[in-house]
Amino acid sequence: MYGILIREGVGRGAWKNIGDYVQSIAQKQFLKDKETCFVEIEKLSEFKSEEPVNVIMNGWFMWHPEMFPPSPCINPLFISFHLTPSKEKDFFTPETIAYLKKYEPIGARDVRTANMMKAHGIDSYFSGCLTMTLGLDYKQDKEHDGDIFIVDPYMELFGDSDVHGLKRVWKYLGLVWHAIKYFRKVWKLKDKYINTTSSVFGRISLKLDEFICTADYYHIYSKRFSDEILLNAKYISAIVDNYMSNDEKFALADSNLRDYANAKCVVTSRLHVSFPCLAVGTKNIFVIPSEKSEGEMKNYTGRVGELNDTVTIMELRDGKLQDKGTTLPEKITLANFPENKVGYRKYFDQLIKTVEKFISNNK
């Protein structure tokens, strides 16, 4: 018996990151001919089975560290494992450390997780993310002639500038000017762009607030991306209705992956959009926040620091999208959209070998 990790999001509010189900699909592609059951990440210690259940332990861990270590009936493969730093203190109990040492080395999705493991005496290595293998099921042997997708483009009001007092007033006047200057373009975008920021204009009108925030987005992104991309793209979000059933969430994640596999190009701030795009050969750019403090620099280094040879990165800094590690065209169009890097392939091969060995050893 094999378990497929899921995070249903029960008790986590009305919204859900569909990336959790992309992670689950990355497991499922290896288990097509196996008997499977679902295993809830946030209730690992409570899982019960009359027979051993083999589980690929990839994904984001975890809201409830008190539910770790897993039940004794779970036989784990720790690969592409991410631990959120805010839970480090609660997670690394003596019991958990002893448990993880039984299954070391622990394959970590990011350098930060690997370093946390090592700091607690647990052997760990950077494995990359299992979603980099999704090309096994989703890669198409044809031209990428679908839509352009922009998925949760990273934005902060004022383009990440930290301003107060009169400067803040001046910035708000600038937002109004952008709404006037780009009125025709923003009018085309207003029903497509999914706004994730807000301003004082929301106290007057939510529609006005959305229009002005959309203008701020266009002002920043149009400096580096052509209208051909920005105005013709399909805008979607990885944050979805949490009250959908598991089947509906899997179906939506599957549909998104098929769209990305056929897309002309993708711009996103979501790792579990960017990595699958690498896997299926779809050109994509990953947009990250700026490194405004030492803490944020550590956050960046831990999150994607080992992926500079893998992902094409842009950084939103001082109100501008700036290149990170690679010199990109000043204005990115469909014609000059950068090709994907090939560094992911070294992780792709090793991830497949590790998972297939686990399955072969647990028939």
Side-chain angles (χ1 to χ4, degrees):
M1 173 80 77
Y2 282 81
I4 295 172
L5 284 182
I6 60 169
R7 178 179 285 105
E8 290 191 80
V10 175
R12 297 301 306 175
W15 305 107
K16 171 73 185 168
N17 188 339
I18 201 66
D20 286 333
Y21 282 78
V22 173
Q23 291 272 32
S24 300
I25 289 174
Q27 296 178 25
K28 288 178 70 175
Q29 67 180 342
F30 291 98
L31 305 173
K32 293 174 184 175
D33 61 343
K34 306 296 182 184
E35 183 182 0
T36 61
C37 63
F38 288 141
V39 178
E40 169 59 54
I41 291 179
E42 301 297 340
K43 296 181 180 180
L44 285 171
S45 65
E46 296 180 349
F47 180 77
K48 295 179 180 179
S49 172
E50 294 182 357
E51 61 179 293
V53 177
N54 306 300
V55 181
I56 303 167
M57 303 286 279
N58 68 304
W60 189 96
F61 293 76
M62 60 189 303
W63 292 116
H64 298 289
E66 69 275 11
M67 291 294 179
F68 204 93
S71 163
C73 64
I74 290 178
N75 176 40
L77 168 65
F78 286 99
I79 192 166
S80 304
F81 186 93
H82 169 79
L83 176 66
T84 184
S86 64
K87 300 295 184 180
E88 178 181 7
K89 183 178 179 181
D90 295 330
F91 182 80
F92 285 108
T93 63
E95 182 185 9
T96 289
I97 292 171
Y99 177 85
L100 289 172
K101 286 185 73 65
K102 290 196 305 183
Y103 298 101
E104 59 186 9
I106 305 300
R109 191 191 77 185
D110 51 276
V111 175
R112 183 171 53 190
T113 295
N115 288 341
M116 282 191 282
M117 293 285 177
K118 292 174 183 177
H120 292 276
I122 302 160
D123 188 15
S124 184
Y125 68 98
F126 176 74
S127 68
C129 184
L130 197 62
T131 59
M132 290 180 180
T133 69
L134 282 165
L136 292 173
D137 269 7
Y138 290 92
K139 191 168 186 176
Q140 302 180 13
D141 294 324
K142 69 182 190 68
E143 183 181 356
H144 291 259
D145 56 1
D147 293 304
I148 302 163
F149 284 92
I150 298 182
V151 187
D152 295 326
Y154 186 79
M155 273 296 296
E156 290 182 7
L157 197 62
F158 306 141
D160 91 337
S161 301
D162 189 14
V163 294
H164 304 280
L166 289 175
K167 286 186 177 180
R168 193 172 185 85
V169 173
W170 184 251
K171 284 287 185 179
Y172 274 119
L173 291 174
L175 291 179
V176 174
W177 168 240
H178 295 158
I180 296 170
K181 179 180 179 181
Y182 304 119
F183 183 84
R184 291 185 179 180
K185 304 292 178 67
V186 177
W187 187 261
K188 293 179 180 179
L189 276 176
K190 67 180 181 66
D191 295 325
K192 299 173 62 176
Y193 175 67
I194 301 172
N195 180 46
T196 57
T197 57
S198 61
S199 71
V200 295
F201 297 103
R203 300 174 186 175
I204 303 170
S205 165
L206 290 178
K207 288 188 175 180
L208 174 63
D209 185 54
E210 288 183 359
F211 193 88
I212 285 177
C213 289
T214 301
D216 191 38
Y217 158 76
Y218 181 80
H219 170 70
I220 291 170
Y221 275 72
S222 65
K223 296 291 190 296
R224 296 302 307 273
F225 292 94
S226 67
D227 282 356
E228 177 187 28
I229 291 175
L230 297 181
L231 301 184
N232 293 318
K234 281 192 173 181
Y235 288 79
I236 64 174
S237 178
I239 305 304
V240 302
D241 181 0
N242 194 28
Y243 298 111
M244 293 189 295
S245 68
N246 269 327
D247 286 345
E248 289 172 320
K249 290 171 184 172
F250 272 114
L252 178 58
D254 174 76
S255 177
N256 286 350
L257 289 170
R258 294 186 188 283
D259 283 339
Y260 303 151
N262 192 41
K264 291 184 178 74
C265 60
V266 174
V267 179
T268 185
S269 65
R270 300 287 182 183
L271 281 174
H272 297 124
V273 175
S274 183
F275 289 163
C277 284
L278 290 176
V280 298
T282 298
K283 299 176 186 178
N284 78 101
I285 292 176
F286 182 60
V287 183
I288 65 170
S290 66
E291 305 166 10
K292 292 180 288 186
S293 68
E294 182 180 355
E296 286 170 331
M297 288 179 71
K298 289 180 179 177
N299 178 60
Y300 164 75
T301 300
R303 192 179 183 205
V304 294
E306 286 293 314
L307 298 176
N308 283 325
D309 65 339
T310 300
V311 181
T312 302
I313 300 173
M314 297 183 81
E315 176 188 47
L316 180 59
R317 185 187 339 135
D318 298 327
K320 298 177 181 178
L321 287 174
Q322 304 193 30
D323 302 345
K324 186 75 179 178
T326 304
T327 301
L328 302 175
E330 188 61 31
K331 177 81 78 167
I332 297 170
T333 67
L334 280 180
N336 66 14
F337 202 99
E339 298 288 340
N340 288 342
K341 298 178 181 180
V342 298
Y344 86 96
R345 291 176 183 167
K346 61 186 176 185
Y347 307 114
F348 168 84
D349 292 336
Q350 189 57 50
L351 284 163
I352 291 174
K353 288 179 182 177
T354 302
V355 173
E356 289 182 344
K357 181 179 178 181
F358 175 70
I359 293 171
S360 176
N361 290 342
N362 293 282
K363 291 181 178 179

Short mmCIF file of all heavy atoms in Angstrom, two decimals, residues 38-86:
data_model
loop_
_atom_site.label_atom_id
_atom_site.label_comp_id
_atom_site.label_asym_id
_atom_site.label_seq_id
_atom_site.Cartn_x
_atom_site.Cartn_y
_atom_site.Cartn_z
N PHE A 38 -5.12 8.20 0.73
CA PHE A 38 -4.70 9.55 1.06
C PHE A 38 -4.16 9.59 2.50
O PHE A 38 -4.70 8.95 3.41
CB PHE A 38 -5.86 10.54 0.93
CG PHE A 38 -6.24 10.81 -0.49
CD1 PHE A 38 -7.58 10.96 -0.84
CD2 PHE A 38 -5.30 10.93 -1.49
CE1 PHE A 38 -7.95 11.20 -2.15
CE2 PHE A 38 -5.65 11.18 -2.81
CZ PHE A 38 -6.99 11.32 -3.13
N VAL A 39 -3.11 10.40 2.68
CA VAL A 39 -2.53 10.63 4.00
C VAL A 39 -2.47 12.14 4.22
O VAL A 39 -1.81 12.85 3.46
CB VAL A 39 -1.11 10.02 4.11
CG1 VAL A 39 -0.52 10.31 5.48
CG2 VAL A 39 -1.14 8.52 3.84
N GLU A 40 -3.16 12.62 5.24
CA GLU A 40 -3.22 14.05 5.53
C GLU A 40 -1.92 14.50 6.21
O GLU A 40 -1.55 14.00 7.26
CB GLU A 40 -4.42 14.36 6.41
CG GLU A 40 -4.47 15.75 7.01
CD GLU A 40 -4.48 16.86 5.98
OE1 GLU A 40 -5.36 16.83 5.09
OE2 GLU A 40 -3.61 17.75 6.07
N ILE A 41 -1.23 15.47 5.58
CA ILE A 41 0.04 15.96 6.11
C ILE A 41 -0.10 16.47 7.54
O ILE A 41 0.76 16.23 8.39
CB ILE A 41 0.60 17.09 5.21
CG1 ILE A 41 1.06 16.53 3.86
CG2 ILE A 41 1.77 17.80 5.89
CD1 ILE A 41 1.61 17.57 2.92
N GLU A 42 -1.18 17.18 7.81
CA GLU A 42 -1.34 17.81 9.12
C GLU A 42 -1.84 16.86 10.19
O GLU A 42 -2.06 17.28 11.33
CB GLU A 42 -2.28 19.02 8.99
CG GLU A 42 -1.81 20.08 8.03
CD GLU A 42 -0.49 20.74 8.43
OE1 GLU A 42 -0.13 20.65 9.62
OE2 GLU A 42 0.17 21.34 7.56
N LYS A 43 -2.01 15.56 9.84
CA LYS A 43 -2.45 14.58 10.84
C LYS A 43 -1.63 13.30 10.73
O LYS A 43 -2.13 12.19 10.91
CB LYS A 43 -3.94 14.27 10.64
CG LYS A 43 -4.86 15.46 10.88
CD LYS A 43 -6.32 15.08 10.70
CE LYS A 43 -7.24 16.27 10.93
NZ LYS A 43 -8.67 15.90 10.74
N LEU A 44 -0.33 13.45 10.48
CA LEU A 44 0.52 12.29 10.24
C LEU A 44 0.58 11.35 11.43
O LEU A 44 0.61 10.13 11.26
CB LEU A 44 1.93 12.76 9.87
CG LEU A 44 2.11 13.32 8.46
CD1 LEU A 44 3.49 13.94 8.31
CD2 LEU A 44 1.90 12.24 7.41
N SER A 45 0.62 11.88 12.62
CA SER A 45 0.75 11.02 13.79
C SER A 45 -0.53 10.25 14.08
O SER A 45 -0.50 9.24 14.79
CB SER A 45 1.15 11.83 15.02
OG SER A 45 0.12 12.75 15.38
N GLU A 46 -1.66 10.71 13.53
CA GLU A 46 -2.95 10.07 13.79
C GLU A 46 -3.33 9.06 12.72
O GLU A 46 -4.34 8.36 12.85
CB GLU A 46 -4.05 11.13 13.89
CG GLU A 46 -3.87 12.07 15.07
CD GLU A 46 -4.99 13.12 15.14
OE1 GLU A 46 -5.77 13.22 14.14
OE2 GLU A 46 -5.07 13.83 16.15
N PHE A 47 -2.53 8.96 11.64
CA PHE A 47 -2.88 8.06 10.55
C PHE A 47 -2.86 6.61 11.03
O PHE A 47 -1.95 6.19 11.76
CB PHE A 47 -1.90 8.24 9.39
CG PHE A 47 -2.17 7.35 8.22
CD1 PHE A 47 -3.20 7.64 7.34
CD2 PHE A 47 -1.43 6.19 8.02
CE1 PHE A 47 -3.47 6.81 6.25
CE2 PHE A 47 -1.69 5.36 6.95
CZ PHE A 47 -2.72 5.67 6.07
N LYS A 48 -3.84 5.84 10.60
CA LYS A 48 -3.95 4.44 11.02
C LYS A 48 -4.13 3.53 9.81
O LYS A 48 -4.85 3.86 8.87
CB LYS A 48 -5.14 4.26 11.97
CG LYS A 48 -4.98 4.98 13.30
CD LYS A 48 -6.18 4.78 14.20
CE LYS A 48 -5.99 5.52 15.53
NZ LYS A 48 -7.18 5.34 16.42
N SER A 49 -3.45 2.39 9.86
CA SER A 49 -3.58 1.38 8.81
C SER A 49 -3.19 0.03 9.40
O SER A 49 -2.28 -0.04 10.24
CB SER A 49 -2.69 1.72 7.62
OG SER A 49 -2.67 0.66 6.69
N GLU A 50 -3.85 -1.02 8.95
CA GLU A 50 -3.53 -2.36 9.43
C GLU A 50 -2.30 -2.93 8.74
O GLU A 50 -1.79 -3.98 9.15
CB GLU A 50 -4.73 -3.28 9.22
CG GLU A 50 -5.94 -2.90 10.07
CD GLU A 50 -7.10 -3.85 9.88
OE1 GLU A 50 -6.98 -4.77 9.04
OE2 GLU A 50 -8.13 -3.66 10.56
N GLU A 51 -1.85 -2.27 7.68
CA GLU A 51 -0.65 -2.70 6.97
C GLU A 51 0.27 -1.51 6.77
O GLU A 51 -0.17 -0.35 6.82
CB GLU A 51 -1.02 -3.31 5.61
CG GLU A 51 -1.73 -2.34 4.67
CD GLU A 51 -2.05 -2.98 3.34
OE1 GLU A 51 -1.10 -3.28 2.59
OE2 GLU A 51 -3.25 -3.16 3.05
N PRO A 52 1.57 -1.75 6.54
CA PRO A 52 2.49 -0.64 6.31
C PRO A 52 2.08 0.17 5.06
O PRO A 52 1.64 -0.39 4.07
CB PRO A 52 3.84 -1.34 6.09
CG PRO A 52 3.69 -2.67 6.73
CD PRO A 52 2.25 -3.05 6.55
N VAL A 53 2.25 1.47 5.16
CA VAL A 53 1.93 2.37 4.04
C VAL A 53 3.19 3.15 3.68
O VAL A 53 3.76 3.87 4.51
CB VAL A 53 0.78 3.33 4.42
CG1 VAL A 53 0.51 4.30 3.27
CG2 VAL A 53 -0.49 2.55 4.77
N ASN A 54 3.64 2.98 2.45
CA ASN A 54 4.84 3.67 1.97
C ASN A 54 4.45 5.06 1.47
O ASN A 54 3.54 5.19 0.64
CB ASN A 54 5.47 2.87 0.83
CG ASN A 54 5.75 1.43 1.23
OD1 ASN A 54 6.49 1.18 2.17
ND2 ASN A 54 5.15 0.48 0.52
N VAL A 55 5.16 6.07 1.96
CA VAL A 55 4.78 7.45 1.64
C VAL A 55 5.99 8.25 1.20
O VAL A 55 7.01 8.30 1.90
CB VAL A 55 4.12 8.14 2.86
CG1 VAL A 55 3.71 9.57 2.48
CG2 VAL A 55 2.92 7.36 3.35
N ILE A 56 5.88 8.89 0.04
CA ILE A 56 6.89 9.84 -0.44
C ILE A 56 6.63 11.16 0.29
O ILE A 56 5.60 11.80 0.06
CB ILE A 56 6.80 10.03 -1.96
CG1 ILE A 56 6.96 8.69 -2.68
CG2 ILE A 56 7.86 11.03 -2.44
CD1 ILE A 56 6.59 8.73 -4.15
N MET A 57 7.53 11.56 1.16
CA MET A 57 7.30 12.70 2.05
C MET A 57 7.84 13.99 1.45
O MET A 57 8.77 14.61 1.98
CB MET A 57 7.92 12.42 3.42
CG MET A 57 7.41 11.16 4.09
SD MET A 57 5.74 11.31 4.74
CE MET A 57 6.08 12.14 6.27
N ASN A 58 7.27 14.38 0.32
CA ASN A 58 7.63 15.67 -0.27
C ASN A 58 6.56 16.70 0.07
O ASN A 58 5.42 16.35 0.36
CB ASN A 58 7.76 15.56 -1.79
CG ASN A 58 6.42 15.32 -2.46
OD1 ASN A 58 5.72 14.35 -2.14
ND2 ASN A 58 6.04 16.19 -3.40
N GLY A 59 6.94 17.96 0.06
CA GLY A 59 5.93 18.99 0.28
C GLY A 59 6.31 19.98 1.37
O GLY A 59 7.46 20.03 1.84
N TRP A 60 5.32 20.76 1.74
CA TRP A 60 5.47 21.86 2.70
C TRP A 60 5.04 21.37 4.07
O TRP A 60 3.90 20.98 4.27
CB TRP A 60 4.60 23.03 2.24
CG TRP A 60 4.79 24.32 2.97
CD1 TRP A 60 5.57 25.37 2.58
CD2 TRP A 60 4.14 24.74 4.18
NE1 TRP A 60 5.45 26.40 3.48
CE2 TRP A 60 4.58 26.04 4.47
CE3 TRP A 60 3.22 24.13 5.05
CZ2 TRP A 60 4.15 26.75 5.59
CZ3 TRP A 60 2.79 24.83 6.18
CH2 TRP A 60 3.25 26.13 6.43
N PHE A 61 5.94 21.40 5.05
CA PHE A 61 5.68 20.96 6.41
C PHE A 61 5.93 22.14 7.35
O PHE A 61 6.97 22.78 7.26
CB PHE A 61 6.59 19.80 6.78
CG PHE A 61 6.32 18.53 6.03
CD1 PHE A 61 6.73 18.38 4.72
CD2 PHE A 61 5.64 17.48 6.63
CE1 PHE A 61 6.49 17.21 4.02
CE2 PHE A 61 5.39 16.29 5.94
CZ PHE A 61 5.81 16.16 4.63
N MET A 62 5.12 22.43 8.31
CA MET A 62 3.76 22.01 8.45
C MET A 62 3.11 22.94 9.44
O MET A 62 3.80 23.54 10.29
CB MET A 62 3.66 20.52 8.87
CG MET A 62 4.31 20.17 10.18
SD MET A 62 4.39 18.40 10.52
CE MET A 62 2.68 17.87 10.46
N TRP A 63 1.80 23.12 9.35
CA TRP A 63 1.09 24.00 10.28
C TRP A 63 1.09 23.43 11.70
O TRP A 63 1.07 24.18 12.67
CB TRP A 63 -0.35 24.21 9.83
CG TRP A 63 -0.52 24.99 8.57
CD1 TRP A 63 -1.05 24.56 7.39
CD2 TRP A 63 -0.16 26.37 8.35
NE1 TRP A 63 -1.04 25.55 6.45
CE2 TRP A 63 -0.50 26.68 7.00
CE3 TRP A 63 0.42 27.35 9.14
CZ2 TRP A 63 -0.29 27.94 6.46
CZ3 TRP A 63 0.63 28.62 8.59
CH2 TRP A 63 0.28 28.89 7.27
N HIS A 64 1.05 22.10 11.80
CA HIS A 64 0.90 21.46 13.12
C HIS A 64 2.06 20.50 13.40
O HIS A 64 1.92 19.28 13.27
CB HIS A 64 -0.43 20.71 13.17
CG HIS A 64 -1.63 21.60 13.01
ND1 HIS A 64 -2.03 22.48 13.99
CD2 HIS A 64 -2.50 21.75 11.98
CE1 HIS A 64 -3.10 23.14 13.57
NE2 HIS A 64 -3.40 22.71 12.36
N PRO A 65 3.21 21.02 13.82
CA PRO A 65 4.36 20.16 14.08
C PRO A 65 4.13 19.16 15.21
O PRO A 65 4.85 18.17 15.32
CB PRO A 65 5.48 21.15 14.43
CG PRO A 65 4.78 22.41 14.82
CD PRO A 65 3.53 22.46 14.02
N GLU A 66 3.11 19.42 16.03
CA GLU A 66 2.78 18.45 17.09
C GLU A 66 2.26 17.14 16.50
O GLU A 66 2.17 16.13 17.21
CB GLU A 66 1.75 19.04 18.06
CG GLU A 66 0.36 19.26 17.51
CD GLU A 66 0.16 20.58 16.77
OE1 GLU A 66 1.19 21.26 16.51
OE2 GLU A 66 -0.99 20.93 16.50
N MET A 67 1.91 17.14 15.20
CA MET A 67 1.45 15.92 14.53
C MET A 67 2.60 15.16 13.86
O MET A 67 2.37 14.32 13.00
CB MET A 67 0.39 16.27 13.49
CG MET A 67 -0.91 16.75 14.10
SD MET A 67 -1.73 15.43 15.03
CE MET A 67 -3.17 16.30 15.65
N PHE A 68 3.81 15.47 14.25
CA PHE A 68 5.01 14.80 13.75
C PHE A 68 5.78 14.28 14.97
O PHE A 68 5.80 14.95 16.00
CB PHE A 68 5.88 15.80 12.96
CG PHE A 68 6.79 15.19 11.96
CD1 PHE A 68 6.42 15.04 10.64
CD2 PHE A 68 8.05 14.75 12.34
CE1 PHE A 68 7.29 14.49 9.71
CE2 PHE A 68 8.92 14.19 11.43
CZ PHE A 68 8.54 14.06 10.10
N PRO A 69 6.39 13.10 14.91
CA PRO A 69 6.62 12.19 13.78
C PRO A 69 5.36 11.47 13.30
O PRO A 69 4.37 11.40 14.03
CB PRO A 69 7.63 11.17 14.34
CG PRO A 69 8.20 11.79 15.57
CD PRO A 69 7.12 12.66 16.12
N PRO A 70 5.45 10.89 12.10
CA PRO A 70 4.31 10.15 11.55
C PRO A 70 4.02 8.87 12.35
O PRO A 70 4.84 8.39 13.12
CB PRO A 70 4.78 9.80 10.13
CG PRO A 70 5.85 10.78 9.82
CD PRO A 70 6.53 11.05 11.12
N SER A 71 2.83 8.35 12.09
CA SER A 71 2.40 7.08 12.68
C SER A 71 3.41 5.97 12.36
O SER A 71 4.03 5.96 11.29
CB SER A 71 1.03 6.73 12.11
OG SER A 71 0.72 5.38 12.32
N PRO A 72 3.58 4.98 13.28
CA PRO A 72 4.50 3.87 13.04
C PRO A 72 4.18 3.05 11.80
O PRO A 72 5.07 2.37 11.26
CB PRO A 72 4.35 3.02 14.31
CG PRO A 72 3.87 3.96 15.36
CD PRO A 72 2.98 4.94 14.64
N CYS A 73 2.93 3.11 11.32
CA CYS A 73 2.58 2.31 10.13
C CYS A 73 3.03 2.96 8.83
O CYS A 73 2.91 2.37 7.76
CB CYS A 73 1.08 2.03 10.09
SG CYS A 73 0.06 3.50 9.89
N ILE A 74 3.58 4.17 8.91
CA ILE A 74 4.07 4.87 7.71
C ILE A 74 5.55 4.58 7.51
O ILE A 74 6.37 4.75 8.42
CB ILE A 74 3.83 6.39 7.83
CG1 ILE A 74 2.34 6.71 7.72
CG2 ILE A 74 4.62 7.15 6.75
CD1 ILE A 74 2.00 8.18 7.88
N ASN A 75 5.89 4.13 6.31
CA ASN A 75 7.28 3.93 5.90
C ASN A 75 7.64 5.08 4.97
O ASN A 75 7.18 5.13 3.82
CB ASN A 75 7.44 2.58 5.19
CG ASN A 75 8.86 2.39 4.66
OD1 ASN A 75 9.82 2.76 5.31
ND2 ASN A 75 8.96 1.84 3.45
N PRO A 76 8.46 6.04 5.42
CA PRO A 76 8.64 7.28 4.65
C PRO A 76 9.88 7.30 3.75
O PRO A 76 10.89 6.66 4.03
CB PRO A 76 8.80 8.32 5.75
CG PRO A 76 9.57 7.58 6.82
CD PRO A 76 9.07 6.14 6.75
N LEU A 77 9.76 8.05 2.66
CA LEU A 77 10.92 8.48 1.89
C LEU A 77 10.96 10.00 1.98
O LEU A 77 10.07 10.68 1.45
CB LEU A 77 10.81 8.07 0.42
CG LEU A 77 11.84 8.73 -0.52
CD1 LEU A 77 13.26 8.29 -0.18
CD2 LEU A 77 11.52 8.45 -1.98
N PHE A 78 11.96 10.54 2.66
CA PHE A 78 12.05 11.98 2.82
C PHE A 78 12.84 12.57 1.65
O PHE A 78 14.06 12.44 1.55
CB PHE A 78 12.71 12.33 4.15
CG PHE A 78 11.83 12.10 5.33
CD1 PHE A 78 11.95 10.95 6.09
CD2 PHE A 78 10.84 13.01 5.66
CE1 PHE A 78 11.12 10.73 7.17
CE2 PHE A 78 10.00 12.80 6.74
CZ PHE A 78 10.14 11.65 7.50
N ILE A 79 12.08 13.23 0.77
CA ILE A 79 12.68 13.85 -0.40
C ILE A 79 11.87 15.10 -0.73
O ILE A 79 10.65 15.13 -0.51
CB ILE A 79 12.71 12.87 -1.59
CG1 ILE A 79 13.60 13.40 -2.72
CG2 ILE A 79 11.31 12.55 -2.10
CD1 ILE A 79 13.93 12.37 -3.77
N SER A 80 12.53 16.14 -1.20
CA SER A 80 11.84 17.40 -1.53
C SER A 80 11.03 17.90 -0.33
O SER A 80 9.93 18.41 -0.47
CB SER A 80 10.93 17.21 -2.74
OG SER A 80 11.64 16.72 -3.85
N PHE A 81 11.62 17.77 0.83
CA PHE A 81 10.97 18.11 2.10
C PHE A 81 11.26 19.57 2.44
O PHE A 81 12.42 19.99 2.46
CB PHE A 81 11.51 17.19 3.20
CG PHE A 81 10.85 17.31 4.54
CD1 PHE A 81 9.79 16.49 4.89
CD2 PHE A 81 11.31 18.24 5.48
CE1 PHE A 81 9.20 16.59 6.14
CE2 PHE A 81 10.73 18.34 6.72
CZ PHE A 81 9.67 17.51 7.06
N HIS A 82 10.21 20.34 2.68
CA HIS A 82 10.37 21.74 3.07
C HIS A 82 9.77 21.95 4.44
O HIS A 82 8.61 21.60 4.69
CB HIS A 82 9.69 22.68 2.08
CG HIS A 82 9.61 24.11 2.57
ND1 HIS A 82 10.68 24.97 2.51
CD2 HIS A 82 8.61 24.81 3.17
CE1 HIS A 82 10.34 26.14 3.03
NE2 HIS A 82 9.10 26.07 3.45
N LEU A 83 10.55 22.55 5.35
CA LEU A 83 10.05 22.92 6.67
C LEU A 83 9.97 24.43 6.76
O LEU A 83 10.97 25.12 6.53
CB LEU A 83 10.96 22.37 7.77
CG LEU A 83 10.57 22.78 9.20
CD1 LEU A 83 9.22 22.17 9.57
CD2 LEU A 83 11.65 22.37 10.19
N THR A 84 8.79 24.94 7.10
CA THR A 84 8.66 26.39 7.23
C THR A 84 9.44 26.85 8.46
O THR A 84 9.29 26.28 9.56
CB THR A 84 7.18 26.81 7.31
OG1 THR A 84 7.10 28.24 7.34
CG2 THR A 84 6.48 26.24 8.54
N PRO A 85 10.31 27.85 8.32
CA PRO A 85 11.20 28.26 9.42
C PRO A 85 10.47 28.68 10.69
O PRO A 85 11.00 28.51 11.78
CB PRO A 85 11.98 29.43 8.82
CG PRO A 85 11.95 29.19 7.35
CD PRO A 85 10.60 28.58 7.08
N SER A 86 9.26 29.21 10.55
CA SER A 86 8.53 29.68 11.74
C SER A 86 8.18 28.54 12.69
O SER A 86 7.87 28.76 13.86
CB SER A 86 7.25 30.41 11.31
OG SER A 86 6.36 29.53 10.64
#
